[in-house]
Amino acid sequence: MIKFLGLLSKKKKVKANLASAIYVNLLNNVIEVGFLEIKDFINNNNNLEDKPSITNQHSNWFRSIVFLGNMRNLDDFFEENESVILRGFILEEMHKDLVDSDQALAIERFLDYENYFAELLVEKGDVINAMAYAIFEKYNINQYQGDLFKRKNKPNPIFYNELKNLLKHFIWNWQEYLDKNKIVFSEKIV
């Protein structure tokens, strides 16, 4: 009964700003390493007629897409006011290395992308589908497909499903994190 009430909880208490910093840094590491795999998957895919020639300079789109997908999942694990607080900390952490004016522009651009992603999410139904389609659009994959799929302007289903399976590895596991940690949204940690 006492454990049920949380009095003997063994969860580590973590301030929201620290949890956001951990989240951003770990996602950035996964994106940095994982983009190489995504790039190779797209550039060398047998289901495309031509090679897209995606380079490391194209990683910014991928980074945005991964963060957009992950930030949509906040609402599944937190109350609305907590999601808003976390989003603010995450956006600050994502752009902390920029000077103030560049930071404001980068955040504004990210919020514009978020509107685009929200439309995709409604159309595609879930985060992974929306992320895969965003990659299809933002990297202009249609122009590298065979004529049938190119005319339809739809991703080759084999390519699309393989891409979705890869993208599942870029989703933050909030359930696992929250099983071990309790995010504290107030200033004091007792």
Side-chain angles (χ1 to χ4, degrees), residues 12-39:
K12 180 181 175 186
K13 292 183 180 183
V14 181
K15 288 184 179 181
N17 62 337
L18 179 59
S20 299
I22 292 167
Y23 171 88
V24 169
N25 288 321
L26 289 176
L27 270 179
N28 275 331
N29 290 340
V30 169
I31 291 166
E32 186 177 323
V33 172
F35 179 71
L36 300 174
E37 186 175 334
I38 296 293
K39 178 182 75 165

Side-chain angles (χ1 to χ4, degrees), residues 31-149:
I31 291 166
E32 186 177 323
V33 172
F35 179 71
L36 300 174
E37 186 175 334
I38 296 293
K39 178 182 75 165
D40 289 342
F41 164 77
I42 294 171
N43 286 339
N44 301 311
N45 196 287
N46 293 332
N47 296 301
L48 299 176
E49 295 291 316
D50 295 315
K51 294 188 183 293
S53 301
I54 294 173
T55 66
N56 291 341
Q57 282 72 35
H58 296 108
S59 66
N60 283 340
W61 269 119
F62 183 69
R63 180 178 186 263
S64 293
I65 290 166
V66 170
F67 271 100
L68 286 166
N70 276 287
M71 287 178 73
R72 290 308 255 181
N73 286 336
L74 291 175
D75 294 336
D76 294 340
F77 293 93
F78 299 98
E79 298 295 325
E80 185 177 349
N81 62 324
E82 294 171 341
S83 289
V84 168
I85 292 168
L86 283 173
R87 283 176 43 74
F89 285 137
I90 290 166
L91 285 171
E92 284 177 26
E93 185 68 28
M94 285 173 63
H95 302 98
K96 71 178 182 184
D97 295 332
L98 301 174
V99 295
D100 288 343
S101 60
D102 290 342
Q103 185 181 46
L105 287 172
I107 290 172
E108 186 176 322
R109 184 175 40 232
F110 185 85
L111 295 175
D112 286 342
Y113 296 159
E114 192 170 42
N115 291 332
Y116 157 77
F117 193 79
E119 290 173 12
L120 273 183
L121 195 56
V122 168
E123 181 182 327
K124 300 301 175 189
D126 68 44
V127 168
I128 296 294
N129 274 319
M131 289 171 66
Y133 199 80
I135 288 171
F136 176 77
E137 278 194 338
K138 293 302 178 184
Y139 290 119
N140 298 313
I141 303 298
N142 192 51
Q143 73 185 30
Y144 304 103
Q145 296 193 109
D147 289 336
L148 175 64
F149 292 112

